[in-house]
Amino acid sequence: MPTYFLTAFTNKGELLLNEKFEANSEQEAKEIGSEILKEHQCLNTAHRLVTSSGRLVLFHR
């Protein structure tokens, strides 16, 4: 199962969230990532989701 990394930042670039999780597909990773962002109240902050190889899956500014 692929590993994904989710990070969220403030407008000043300070790290708010840095999570690692596994998912069966990119779509599942996006869904899991969205739930994590909601739990930590970071859905409307800058965030990105990348694969373990560094490929960008999701980005929000």
Side-chain angles (χ1 to χ4, degrees):
M1 202 176 319
T3 302
Y4 295 86
F5 298 90
L6 177 66
T7 53
F9 304 90
T10 66
N11 290 338
K12 295 181 180 182
E14 298 168 349
L15 186 64
L16 295 173
L17 180 69
N18 191 20
E19 296 280 331
K20 176 175 124 176
F21 62 90
E22 294 182 341
N24 289 315
S25 67
E26 287 186 6
Q27 184 59 40
E28 182 182 21
K30 288 178 186 180
E31 292 169 9
I32 293 170
S34 291
E35 287 302 315
I36 293 170
L37 289 166
K38 285 179 191 175
E39 289 173 12
H40 293 276
Q41 299 176 340
C42 293
L43 194 58
N44 293 319
T45 63
H47 57 268
R48 68 179 174 211
L49 177 64
V50 297
T51 64
S52 58
S53 64
R55 193 165 69 78
L56 187 64
V57 176
L58 176 69
F59 181 78
H60 174 76
R61 271 182 17 156

